Amino acid sequence: MAFTDEQFADAANHWDLETLYTDLASVKGKRLTPVEKLHLRGLLCGYSPAEIAEKLQKNHKGVETDLCSTIYRYVKNLLDKCNEKIENWRNISEWLADAGYKTQTRSSTKLPFLDRLPENSVVNITNITCENNQITIDACLKITVPLPSEISIEKLDIEDNNNN
């Protein structure tokens, strides 16, 4: 079976793959192989090693062995986690997300409170973490509201610091 960049292509929508490939290649000492890139993209798409093997019509033990000897080792070296044990294949994407390789994506999911904000408001999600069965969303919120027509700038008691 030929391996292509189209397989597990959704990873490119959520991850900075080029930077990640480059950084992992620097740890490895040479470029990642097409199979290493493919396995990494599979993990970043949320597939287990067994699911990656199934989609690629490969032996799941072989994929697991390949991941342990390549991608897992490269990521641990890159992120200075050589002494940490990989408890679960999900650790790889969690560690890489924490290290900043996950890109900010625009979600089509509507958050109910956003409908109550004024029209010109801007919400930038800066970080999302999941720990202890809780989701924490860090955001910067910019709300622009017009002054009521009966209030003018002249009536506001604002000091002009430039005239001091």
Side-chain angles (χ1 to χ4, degrees):
M1 176 177 202
F3 303 118
T4 67
D5 287 343
E6 282 76 47
Q7 291 165 304
F8 307 119
D10 193 44
N13 296 329
H14 305 284
W15 297 88
D16 183 357
L17 291 180
E18 290 312 311
T19 302
L20 186 53
Y21 292 160
T22 301
D23 292 352
L24 290 173
S26 70
V27 169
K28 179 183 177 185
K30 57 184 176 180
R31 290 181 181 196
L32 298 181
T33 67
V35 172
E36 289 170 338
K37 290 179 180 180
L38 183 64
H39 289 171
L40 175 61
R41 286 195 312 271
L43 288 175
L44 297 177
C45 284
Y47 293 107
S48 71
E51 291 169 322
I52 293 169
E54 182 181 321
K55 290 194 176 295
L56 300 177
Q57 299 172 350
K58 294 170 79 176
N59 178 295
H60 77 277
K61 289 289 187 195
V63 170
E64 182 65 47
T65 300
D66 286 350
L67 284 167
C68 288
S69 64
T70 60
I71 298 300
Y72 293 175
R73 191 168 46 107
Y74 306 154
V75 169
K76 286 175 74 170
N77 285 330
L78 175 66
L79 303 178
D80 199 25
K81 293 184 179 278
C82 293
N83 296 327
E84 293 194 38
K85 186 176 187 312
I86 296 176
E87 303 288 338
N88 185 300
W89 58 270
R90 288 183 181 92
N91 290 144
I92 297 299
S93 57
E94 290 167 3
W95 291 348
L96 291 170
D98 289 345
Y101 289 99
K102 193 160 192 175
T103 57
Q104 300 294 328
T105 57
R106 301 284 181 232
S107 173
S108 61
T109 304
K110 287 291 280 177
L111 300 173
F113 69 89
L114 292 179
D115 292 336
R116 295 187 203 111
L117 293 175
E119 190 173 317
N120 293 336
S121 301
V122 177
V123 179
N124 287 321
I125 306 294
T126 57
N127 192 31
I128 299 175
T129 55
C130 299
E131 290 181 359
N132 303 325
N133 293 325
Q134 292 183 333
I135 296 175
T136 302
I137 302 172
D138 297 331
C140 292
L141 177 62
K142 178 181 177 182
I143 301 174
T144 305
V145 293
L147 290 172
S149 58
E150 62 272 6
I151 297 177
S152 68
I153 296 296
E154 293 81 33
K155 291 182 184 176
L156 294 176
D157 187 18
I158 300 175
E159 288 185 25
D160 185 357
N161 291 330
N162 295 332
N163 293 335
N164 291 340

